[in-house]
Amino acid sequence: GDSVTQMEGPVTLSEEAFLTINCTYTATGYPSLFWYVQYPGEGLQLLLKATKADDKGSNKGFEATYRKETTSFHLEKGSVQVSDSAVYFCALSDTRGNTPLVFGKGTRLSVIA
Amino acid sequence: DSGVTQTPKHLITATGQRVTLRCSPRSGDLSVYWYQQSLDQGLQFLIQYYNGEERAKGNILERFSAQQFPDLHSELNLSSLELGDSALYFCASSGWMNTEAFFGQGTRLTVV
């Protein structure tokens, strides 16, 4: 079945450091790919998405590019802030829509001032 | 605010008991999904309903059941609770042809 593998955390960075969280997937067909973020005590929020190969999703300074050849969707941010401390989940879904998301295990990011 | 509402936010109950978690999806969304989040298992998909009908089933225990009502709200029933059922339970919803889902704030269940 479909699966998502993302780098294990926790990841600890200093403010203004560069962030990369790796995510690779296994799926039949061409899934849509997502990054969700979970701030402490809250639910998951959609951070960005890409629905086809070479699409770049971006939001709040975060970016991820759908790479079909490497089945990857790595999350990057050029300069992290303390407020970015959260758990980040990579996920995929079938392009048909209305199908359950398959999540990676999550990566906890802590940014220190 | 995602538009998905879950109640209650917190629930503490004893082993062997039964609880009901409630979810109201975003206005117009026909699909409701239930996920369980525990520390060691990450996010596990439990079950999906679409317009009142069960559409997909994941790792849902036989002690758990769900339904979606005509007004599209959904309930997740957990019975014969065990200590290991302590977790965050999330509801999410999606609309027609949406590939992404929108999550509620979750219900934290503690079984003592």
Side-chain angles (χ1 to χ4, degrees):
Chain A
D2 296 351
S3 66
V4 174
T5 303
Q6 63 182 103
M7 63 186 282
E8 300 210 3
V11 173
T12 303
L13 295 174
S14 297
E15 216 168 16
E16 299 183 5
F18 184 86
L19 168 71
T20 299
I21 301 178
N22 291 336
C23 171
T24 56
Y25 67 90
T26 302
T28 52
Y30 303 100
S32 293
L33 302 173
F34 309 89
W35 278 100
Y36 280 81
V37 58
Q38 184 179 27
Y39 297 104
E42 298 187 11
L44 278 73
Q45 300 175 27
L46 178 64
L47 181 59
L48 53 84
K49 71 174 186 178
T51 57
K52 61 183 188 297
D54 300 325
D55 266 2
K56 177 186 279 190
S58 60
N59 186 24
K60 300 182 182 179
F62 290 90
E63 291 183 341
T65 301
Y66 189 142
R67 301 283 188 205
K68 179 167 157 290
E69 63 277 10
T70 54
T71 61
S72 65
F73 193 56
H74 305 321
L75 182 69
E76 296 182 336
K77 187 175 186 185
S79 175
V80 294
Q81 305 300 312
V82 171
S83 57
D84 294 325
S85 298
V87 180
Y88 292 81
F89 292 90
C90 185
L92 66 81
S93 78
D94 192 287
T95 49
R96 291 171 295 169
N98 273 290
T99 56
L101 290 164
V102 175
F103 284 91
K105 288 191 179 293
T107 302
R108 182 176 298 278
L109 169 67
S110 295
V111 181
I112 53 177
Chain B
D1 182 5
S2 69
V4 178
T5 304
Q6 288 187 249
T7 56
K9 283 193 167 55
H10 302 276
L11 201 47
I12 301 175
T13 190
T15 54
Q17 295 299 303
R18 172 188 167 95
V19 297
T20 297
L21 313 184
R22 183 188 168 104
C23 170
S24 294
R26 291 189 320 158
S27 177
D29 283 356
L30 298 179
S31 270
V32 169
Y33 311 83
W34 287 97
Y35 287 85
Q36 180 192 58
Q37 184 181 35
S38 53
L39 280 174
D40 57 344
Q41 293 289 324
L43 269 164
Q44 298 288 318
F45 167 65
L46 296 178
I47 196 163
Q48 177 195 1
Y49 276 80
Y50 179 83
N51 202 21
E53 301 284 329
E54 183 186 300
R55 180 149 175 161
K57 216 167 190 174
N59 301 320
I60 189 166
L61 300 172
E62 283 192 15
R63 301 183 285 110
F64 296 0
S65 64
Q67 54 185 325
Q68 186 179 28
F69 295 87
D71 67 353
L72 300 177
H73 91 270
S74 178
E75 292 181 356
L76 179 67
N77 300 297
L78 313 176
S79 61
S80 303
L81 284 166
E82 302 174 358
L83 295 177
D85 297 327
S86 296
L88 263 171
Y89 291 84
F90 285 107
C91 167
S93 74
S94 66
W96 174 245
M97 289 307 290
N98 282 148
T99 53
E100 68 265 37
F102 297 88
F103 282 75
Q105 298 279 352
T107 294
R108 180 172 293 283
L109 173 67
T110 304
V111 183
V112 297

